[in-house]
């Protein structure tokens, strides 16, 4: 399993971009990077995934460094509803979650 | 499209009793996961199935927990006997099978979970 490291928590101002870092220095060549989030009292929700290239969807953008050892999830215009725990995963074999980053969006 | 269904939503039992949780994944999803989430922690993978087979159960306390997936569709997770420390939310998820591996490049969908309280 590729181990991931994320900050424990971070704050973000409503309307501003939120940049969530993740370190996955032991990722293997074929493993994707996945991001999920969990809003209070709900099950985790898929956000985005990528391999080498940057990816964007309606929820977020994913920037993966050229050496693939780290990535950044970008929420372009954070809203109060984006307050959640965000999980970064780098594993194609099993879906294992770490402690994640608790993101608090403040008005 | 119907989501992942779990039942019951809440359960309160006394320690040493047994309990079972049921999960119905999204139709056509080959991979099914069971997680235990203790308050304040990330979900802990208990067992991962691909069709009828077990992909990983390394964190399943096999002396008291068991899980089965009937005909590659529905699944049940059982605890017998329950301990106080089993109080948690039990989450079920499913995903499509990928040619990359049991979980590769696919999106997993989660149910609402079952909140278990052991008193």
């Amino acid at each position: 399993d590729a181990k991931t490291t994320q900050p424990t928590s971070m704050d973000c101002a409503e309307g501003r971009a939120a940049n969530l870092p993740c370190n996955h220095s032991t990722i293997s060549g074929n493993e994707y990077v996945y991001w999920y989030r969990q809003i209070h009292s709900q099950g985790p929700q898929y956000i985005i995934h990528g391999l080498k290239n940057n990816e964007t969807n309606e929820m977020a953008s994913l920037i993966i460094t050229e050496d693939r050892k780290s990535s950044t999830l970008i929420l372009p215009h954070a809203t109060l509803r984006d307050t959640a725990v965000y999980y970064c995963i780098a594993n194609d074999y099993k879906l294992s979650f770490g402690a994640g980053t608790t993101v608090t969006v403040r008005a | 499209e119907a989501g992942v269904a779990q039942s019951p939503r809440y359960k309160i039992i006394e320690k040493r009793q047994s309990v079972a949780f049921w999960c119905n994944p999204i139709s056509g999803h080959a991979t099914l996961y069971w997680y235990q989430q203790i308050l304040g922690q990330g979900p802990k993978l208990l067992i991962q199935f691909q069709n009828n087979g077990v992909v990983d159960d390394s964190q399943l306390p096999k002396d008291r927990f068991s899980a089965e997936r009937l005909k590659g569709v529905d699944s049940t997770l059982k605890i017998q006997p329950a301990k106080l420390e089993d109080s948690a939310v039990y989450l079920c998820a499913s995903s499509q099978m990928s040619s990359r591996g049991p979980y590769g490049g696919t999106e997993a969908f989660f149910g609402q979970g079952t909140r278990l309280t052991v008193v």
Side-chain angles (χ1 to χ4, degrees):
Chain A
D1 298 2
K3 179 177 170 57
T4 59
T5 304
Q6 299 178 252
T8 302
S9 64
M10 61 184 297
D11 285 359
C12 176
E14 187 179 24
R16 304 293 295 270
N19 296 300
L20 284 61
C22 179
N23 180 284
H24 33 78
S25 58
T26 61
I27 193 170
S28 67
N30 293 324
E31 287 180 320
Y32 279 72
V33 177
Y34 307 86
W35 283 84
Y36 282 76
R37 73 179 183 183
Q38 188 172 26
I39 296 171
H40 183 63
S41 298
Q42 298 182 20
Q45 174 193 24
Y46 165 86
I47 301 173
I48 197 168
H49 73 275
L51 183 63
K52 296 180 181 178
N53 300 320
N54 299 337
E55 301 288 345
T56 296
N57 62 20
E58 65 278 5
M59 290 182 67
S61 295
L62 174 60
I63 309 298
I64 302 174
T65 58
E66 192 169 343
D67 63 7
R68 300 206 335 115
K69 292 184 178 182
S70 66
S71 62
T72 300
L73 179 74
I74 300 172
L75 307 177
H77 305 287
T79 70
L80 298 179
R81 288 177 295 181
D82 291 323
T83 292
V85 180
Y86 287 76
Y87 299 98
C88 170
I89 299 163
N91 193 321
D92 271 354
Y93 186 75
K94 60 184 181 181
L95 186 53
S96 296
F97 292 83
T101 297
T102 299
V103 174
T104 303
V105 180
R106 302 190 185 280
Chain B
E1 178 183 80
V4 176
Q6 290 189 247
S7 66
R9 286 296 311 277
Y10 305 92
K11 190 75 176 178
I12 301 175
I13 62 171
E14 296 182 349
K15 60 183 179 184
R16 291 188 289 275
Q17 285 187 325
S18 62
V19 65
F21 312 125
W22 174 80
C23 173
N24 180 236
I26 292 173
S27 177
H29 280 192
T31 307
L32 185 146
Y33 319 77
W34 281 103
Y35 293 88
Q36 178 194 62
Q37 187 168 27
I38 293 171
L39 187 64
Q41 299 181 16
K44 172 186 169 183
L45 180 65
L46 294 176
I47 189 166
Q48 180 173 327
F49 292 96
Q50 184 162 338
N51 295 314
N52 290 338
V54 175
V55 171
D56 187 277
D57 63 356
S58 57
Q59 297 195 91
L60 185 73
K62 298 180 183 65
D63 58 335
R64 297 185 301 107
F65 287 64
S66 65
E68 62 178 2
R69 189 171 185 198
L70 305 173
K71 299 180 181 179
V73 183
D74 291 7
S75 179
T76 56
L77 176 69
K78 297 179 181 178
I79 307 175
Q80 182 177 10
K83 294 184 176 182
L84 296 177
E85 58 260 36
D86 298 332
S87 294
V89 174
Y90 290 85
L91 293 161
C92 178
S94 70
S95 64
Q96 293 180 334
M97 187 166 63
S98 167
S99 59
R100 297 175 49 82
Y103 180 71
T106 63
E107 174 182 354
F109 295 83
F110 283 76
Q112 291 281 70
T114 297
R115 182 175 299 277
L116 173 67
T117 303
V118 182
V119 298

